[in-house]
Amino acid sequence: MRIGELAAQAGLSRDAIRFYEKIGLVTGRRLANGYRDFPPEEVPWLQYVRTAQALGFSLAEIAQTREELREQPDTAAALSALFAEKIKVIDARMTQLAALRAELDARVGTGCPLRAAG
């Protein structure tokens, strides 16, 4: 299918698909007339990309999971493992952000918020 049809079915812009192609998230072939041609299985993959991004996964993480998921006989179990790992990353980041917030809070009203708190 051409890029416009793929974009319509996946709910993305043509520019987004071109970008994903550039970074290797999707692959298409060039027809003799120069148009891009994508296989139909790219539609569910692009929908997965959108959902994964909404869940906080980076494009690099998404690209990595594509290869991992292709090799997994049970993708539900593989996805659950990826989600559990992402939760650990989020929890660690939340701890870091809480410490940062406490540090900033301690500096409020000190006259010079860049001076060491104490």
Side-chain angles (χ1 to χ4, degrees), residues 6 10 12 17 20 26 42-51:
L6 179 60
L12 294 167
I17 293 173
Y20 292 161
V26 295
E42 293 295 350
V43 173
W45 167 247
L46 287 171
Q47 291 167 340
Y48 169 81
V49 169
R50 289 182 63 198
T51 302

Side-chain angles (χ1 to χ4, degrees), residues 1 4 9 14 16 26 29-30 36 41 45 52 62-63 66 74-78 81 83 86 90 94 96 101 107-108:
M1 75 180 61
Q9 287 187 24
R14 291 178 178 145
V26 295
R29 63 183 178 98
R30 290 285 184 164
R36 290 173 172 87
E41 56 269 11
W45 167 247
I62 295 167
R66 182 175 191 164
D74 181 358
T75 57
F83 295 160
K86 190 64 172 181
I90 291 169
M94 288 173 61
Q96 292 170 341
R101 186 191 188 291
R107 292 171 185 254
V108 169

Side-chain angles (χ1 to χ4, degrees), residues 63 66 69 85 114 117:
R66 182 175 191 164
L69 294 176
E85 187 60 35
L114 298 180

Side-chain angles (χ1 to χ4, degrees), residues 6-110:
L6 179 60
Q9 287 187 24
L12 294 167
S13 69
R14 291 178 178 145
D15 287 339
I17 293 173
R18 286 183 192 104
F19 177 72
Y20 292 161
E21 183 181 31
K22 181 179 178 180
I23 64 171
L25 275 178
V26 295
T27 53
R29 63 183 178 98
R30 290 285 184 164
L31 300 175
N33 60 6
Y35 291 141
R36 290 173 172 87
D37 184 50
F38 296 93
E41 56 269 11
E42 293 295 350
V43 173
W45 167 247
L46 287 171
Q47 291 167 340
Y48 169 81
V49 169
R50 289 182 63 198
T51 302
Q53 281 187 293
L55 292 173
F57 288 87
S58 69
L59 291 177
E61 290 171 322
I62 295 167
Q64 183 181 3
T65 61
R66 182 175 191 164
E67 296 308 314
E68 289 178 18
L69 294 176
R70 282 183 179 176
E71 298 171 7
Q72 296 291 330
D74 181 358
T75 57
L79 281 171
S80 291
L82 289 171
F83 295 160
E85 187 60 35
K86 190 64 172 181
I87 290 169
K88 289 179 188 175
V89 170
I90 291 169
D91 287 343
R93 184 68 179 139
M94 288 173 61
T95 300
Q96 292 170 341
L97 288 172
L100 177 59
R101 186 191 188 291
E103 178 71 20
L104 289 169
D105 192 47
R107 292 171 185 254
V108 169
T110 64

